[in-house]
């Protein structure tokens, strides 16, 4: 919300565009989040960053709880980046 207000004040984004395409924007954000979760699930099972990775054997439980405690991609701690922004 703050980003939208700042971009509108700087006249970089038309608020009408965001309003007219809100469904498409939300759909893209949800698909991106799902793809990130699936990527992290398979990465945690096959290419863990640390020794604290594991599997319970239940796909739904592993997907929900995660397979790595601190997932890293290219040296970036994704858990910190996503949660702390």
């Amino acid at each position: 919300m703050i980003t939208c207000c700042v971009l509108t004040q700087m006249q970089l984004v038309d608020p009408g565009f965001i309003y007219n395409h809100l469904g498409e924007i939300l759909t893209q954000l949800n698909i991106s989040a799902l793809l990130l979760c699936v990527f992290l699930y398979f990465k945690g099972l096959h290419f863990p960053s640390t020794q604290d990775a594991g599997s319970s054997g239940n796909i739904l439980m592993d997907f929900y709880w995660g397979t790595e405690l601190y997932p890293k991609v290219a040296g970036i701690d994704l858990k910190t980046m996503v949660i702390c922004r």
Side-chain angles (χ1 to χ4, degrees):
M1 188 68 176
I2 294 172
T3 303
C4 178
C5 292
V6 170
L7 292 175
T8 301
Q9 284 296 97
M10 295 173 61
Q11 297 180 349
L12 295 174
V13 173
D14 177 27
F17 177 82
I18 295 174
Y19 178 79
N20 290 332
H21 297 282
L22 188 60
E24 298 162 11
I25 294 169
L26 291 177
T27 300
Q28 182 60 43
L29 289 172
N30 281 314
I31 290 170
S32 299
L34 180 62
L35 291 175
L36 177 65
C37 291
V38 169
F39 167 74
L40 290 176
Y41 173 75
F42 283 110
K43 182 200 167 299
L45 288 178
H46 301 290
F47 307 104
S49 304
T50 59
Q51 297 298 324
D52 59 7
S55 174
S56 68
N58 184 343
I59 293 174
L60 292 177
M61 183 73 124
D62 287 342
F63 188 80
Y64 180 74
W65 283 98
T67 54
E68 278 189 288
L69 188 56
Y70 299 106
K72 291 184 179 183
V73 174
I76 299 171
D77 187 357
L78 292 179
K79 186 175 185 179
T80 303
M81 185 182 79
V82 171
I83 293 174
C84 298
R85 292 180 212 76

